[in-house]
Amino acid sequence: MTKLVAIVGATGLQGSSVLKSLHATGKYKLRALSRNPDGNQAASLKAKYSGVEWVPANLDDTASLRKAFQGANTVFGVTQFFQKDIMERVEHGDVDAEYNQGKNIVDAAIAAGVDSIVLSSIDSMKQLSHGKYPGVLHFEGKHKVEEYLTSLSDKVKGYFVYLGFYMENFVDFSRISPEDNKTIEFTVPLKPTTKLPLVDTANDTGPVVAYVLEHPEECLGTVVEVSGGYYEAQDMAKAFTEVTGKPSRYVQIPYDSIGSDELGQMFKGQDEFGYYGGRTEFIERNKEINHTFTTPTSFWKNRGWTGPSTK
């Protein structure tokens, strides 16, 4: 019998990547969840991927999630801290806003009789830093959902994918140099030599989730990192110039210059304790996945981006 996979956040970077990869296998029935399944983003994906069932669901509404999960064998679950409603709740003191949405996914999946959940999670920076940096809420919330799902292993199987550092962030971190109005600067609150497990979210997430679904016994209860390996933070600038021929440089900016204590703690923790805590075992394992992971060079080639607007 063909298994049905329900994909939370199907129009987002991670969800759409999972949709793309699982659709390409032809092995699964797919149900895509979105707050607005009739919107423009969903319409674009519907045109690309035929035969996918689209349903409305809201992560704050467990009834909508239970309905969306009915009949599904597996749920791909993902939460997003950096969205307006979550950040507003956090600003008003609800530090568990993201966790509560993730908990809703787990509870609804169990209520609907789902067999397994593939959850997008991440290390707790509080744990990695031995309590030094406890305030990285968009890490802590996801990890708390993971711990909750693990505690219910007698009711549903849990699988965990940890995405690396988004290469897409470097587009957001870019500017035209105020010194010469020509050089593209990548301004990041990280040491230039800090090693990051980089990921192209849109292209690398789906193949890893597909691997997890195809190797359930191997991956059950374990963490599967989504990255092809470590690169120095400054390598993204070097690769940009290599691909585009445009002058660029990496600029380390102060931690407190980004105006967010939460992000400041994240960058400090990554400098001091490493993303993934410096784990390297995944690099060899991920070579078994039928996928060529994105490198800084291939990211810029695929992106076709030549720098921030000068307007």
Side-chain angles (χ1 to χ4, degrees):
M1 184 179 71
T2 304
K3 292 185 177 180
L4 172 61
V5 180
I7 303 171
V8 173
T11 60
L13 276 176
Q14 293 189 44
S16 61
S17 181
V18 173
L19 176 63
K20 176 183 177 181
S21 291
L22 297 188
H23 188 271
T25 71
K27 296 179 180 179
Y28 307 98
K29 294 179 181 177
L30 300 175
R31 181 180 294 159
L33 279 61
S34 172
R35 283 182 293 184
N36 185 13
D38 296 318
N40 292 336
Q41 287 180 299
S44 175
L45 293 170
K46 289 175 185 178
K48 290 181 180 178
Y49 310 119
S50 62
V52 176
E53 178 187 5
W54 284 82
V55 299
N58 188 315
L59 297 189
D60 292 315
D61 181 356
T62 53
S64 75
L65 289 170
R66 285 197 302 272
K67 183 178 180 180
F69 293 157
Q70 286 294 327
N73 302 95
T74 298
V75 165
F76 171 73
V78 61
T79 54
Q80 169 57 279
F81 180 88
F82 295 104
Q83 55 179 312
K84 184 179 179 180
D85 56 341
I86 292 292
M87 296 188 75
E88 286 180 350
R89 289 180 222 177
V90 171
E91 289 174 5
H92 286 88
D94 183 8
V95 295
D96 279 332
E98 183 180 18
Y99 164 71
N100 288 331
Q101 289 194 339
K103 182 178 182 293
N104 288 344
I105 293 172
V106 175
D107 290 343
I110 291 173
V114 169
D115 178 66
S116 61
I117 300 173
V118 181
L119 181 70
S120 178
S121 184
I122 196 65
D123 287 292
S124 159
M125 183 55 75
K126 180 179 179 179
Q127 293 177 14
L128 286 181
S129 67
H130 313 292
K132 187 174 182 180
Y133 299 117
V136 187
L137 299 182
H138 71 288
F139 280 27
E140 301 308 319
K142 292 177 180 64
H143 196 77
K144 190 175 178 181
V145 178
E146 176 184 339
E147 293 176 331
Y148 180 67
L149 175 53
T150 300
S151 75
L152 298 170
S153 60
D154 60 325
K155 294 181 174 62
V156 64
K157 297 171 185 170
Y159 299 85
F160 309 102
V161 293
Y162 282 18
L163 268 75
F165 191 95
Y166 285 24
M167 293 189 200
E168 294 92 341
N169 288 340
F170 283 85
V171 174
D172 297 328
F173 294 152
S174 68
R175 70 183 183 190
I176 302 294
S177 172
E179 296 179 6
D180 63 10
N181 202 34
K182 176 182 177 183
T183 301
I184 295 166
E185 296 180 337
F186 295 95
T187 57
V188 188
L190 285 171
K191 297 174 183 176
T193 55
T194 290
K195 295 290 186 68
L196 298 171
L198 295 173
V199 61
D200 179 356
T201 313
N203 290 306
D204 294 334
T205 308
V208 174
V209 172
Y211 180 87
V212 170
L213 295 182
E214 292 164 8
H215 300 81
E217 294 183 6
E218 172 193 337
C219 298
L220 180 62
T222 65
V223 168
V224 182
E225 293 89 346
V226 185
S227 174
Y230 287 94
Y231 301 87
E232 291 185 351
Q234 64 186 351
D235 287 343
M236 287 295 289
K238 294 176 180 178
F240 177 82
T241 294
E242 175 188 333
V243 170
T244 65
K246 292 191 172 185
S248 71
R249 59 174 164 255
Y250 182 91
V251 178
Q252 181 183 354
I253 59 175
Y255 298 118
D256 60 6
S257 67
I258 52 177
S260 166
D261 178 66
E262 194 232 355
L263 292 178
Q265 288 192 46
M266 180 190 76
F267 288 119
K268 289 176 184 177
Q270 290 171 351
D271 267 343
E272 294 178 40
F273 299 96
Y275 202 111
Y276 294 156
R279 295 190 301 273
T280 59
E281 298 84 358
F282 71 91
I283 297 173
E284 285 301 314
R285 185 204 58 231
N286 283 3
K287 291 178 180 178
E288 300 175 11
I289 298 175
N290 185 27
H291 173 65
T292 300
F293 284 89
T294 308
T295 66
T297 298
S298 60
F299 174 80
W300 293 124
K301 286 181 178 178
N302 296 338
R303 187 89 180 187
W305 182 79
T306 57
S309 173
T310 57
K311 294 181 181 180

